[in-house]
Amino acid sequence: PESAEAHRLYMQGRYYLRNRANAEDVKKAIDSFSEAIKLEPTYAQAHAGLADSYLVSNKPLYGNMETKEAMTKAEAAAKEALANDDTLAEAHTSLGIVYLSYRWDWQAAESELKHAIELKSDYAPAHYWYANLLVITGRKPESIVESELARDLDPFSPLSAVNVCRAYYYARKYDQASACYEKVGQEQPNYTPGLYARGLMQVQKGMYQDAIGILDRKSTRLNSSHITN
């Protein structure tokens, strides 16, 4: 962008979004991206950041926006980004997520995510979401490869680490999934999505008391988060 301030606001928005812990962080991200767009209306990256923010705004930890509103706004922001720069991998990924998670249009989702990877092969979120699409469409071995690639591209992301475990889980490779979840649990003991996934793994193995203990910890953490935020 021509405006240094617009770029600063964009980077600030990405910081809040990537390190989000609650709904307030997502709101700060939305505000930062919106301010950047006010300064530079054709700033494609800022529109893509806005799309990514809306994509999590209906999640219990990150907002209370109705799903239809959140996804409609995310789709509009992603398309606006592409209208200004159709080579932006981030925007193609955002649009692919809308098709995958909301519209359930697997063909359109795959087209957008694969195009994002073609444009920017080291963009970890595109590989992450493509791995999820491959699980949904029954291509389990491919999903493991993609999830591992996403993790390797973003090795400090607990979300990407859990996604690898989940790919093993859906491929019915329970021993590998269990070992993977245990590793994540050791490295990220307080990561809430990791607790949930580990609980499901214990259920699958018939270890119900262990599962109850893990899921109770997750429930307590979620309740504490809502109280403090």
Side-chain angles (χ1 to χ4, degrees), residues 4-181:
E5 177 63 9
H7 181 64
R8 187 193 69 80
L9 286 164
Y10 167 73
M11 296 302 295
Q12 177 176 278
R14 282 295 180 189
Y15 170 81
Y16 283 129
L17 187 60
R18 180 174 177 82
N19 298 287
R20 63 187 181 273
N22 49 51
E24 183 61 27
D25 288 336
V26 176
K27 182 180 182 301
K28 289 177 180 178
I30 290 173
D31 290 344
S32 297
F33 292 132
S34 297
E35 288 300 315
I37 291 168
K38 284 182 182 178
L39 291 174
E40 293 223 18
T42 61
Y43 192 178
Q45 287 93 335
H47 286 287
L50 194 58
D52 290 340
S53 301
Y54 285 130
L55 284 170
V56 300
S57 293
N58 66 322
K59 308 294 183 184
L61 277 176
Y62 305 127
N64 57 5
M65 191 177 292
E66 291 291 331
T67 296
K68 182 178 181 180
E69 180 184 1
M71 293 299 167
T72 299
K73 287 183 174 182
E75 183 174 5
K79 288 182 175 178
E80 183 65 27
L82 291 173
N84 289 293
D85 183 359
D86 64 1
T87 68
L88 190 62
E90 291 88 340
H92 283 288
T93 300
S94 303
L95 189 56
I97 297 170
V98 172
Y99 290 142
L100 172 64
S101 302
Y102 180 60
R103 300 210 175 276
W104 297 357
D105 187 337
W106 315 139
Q107 185 174 356
E110 181 158 9
S111 176
E112 292 295 333
L113 294 171
K114 287 179 73 174
H115 190 40
I117 291 170
E118 290 170 358
L119 290 168
K120 192 175 182 180
S121 61
D122 62 349
Y123 186 51
H127 292 282
Y128 172 95
W129 285 102
Y130 189 40
N132 280 268
L133 173 66
L134 291 168
V135 166
I136 291 171
T137 54
R139 290 172 281 175
K140 309 298 174 57
E142 293 176 67
S143 75
I144 293 173
V145 173
E146 281 296 316
S147 64
E148 290 178 338
L149 182 53
R151 178 201 58 198
D152 293 345
L153 288 168
D154 194 3
F156 299 107
S157 166
L159 186 64
S160 293
V162 167
N163 201 42
V164 174
C165 308
R166 190 163 50 212
Y168 284 135
Y169 173 83
Y170 284 121
R172 300 181 183 274
K173 296 181 179 292
Y174 297 132
D175 289 342
Q176 289 168 276
S178 183
C180 182
Y181 283 130

Side-chain angles (χ1 to χ4, degrees), residues 213-227:
I214 291 171
L215 294 173
D216 272 346
R217 285 172 58 198
K218 175 181 182 292
S219 177
T220 300
R221 186 159 293 121
L222 281 173
N223 288 337
S224 298
S225 175
H226 285 306
I227 289 170

Side-chain angles (χ1 to χ4, degrees), residues 198-214:
R198 287 173 64 201
L200 292 184
M201 185 69 252
Q202 299 302 80
V203 169
Q204 188 64 46
K205 294 168 66 177
M207 302 172 68
Y208 302 117
Q209 289 303 315
D210 289 345
I212 290 170
I214 291 171

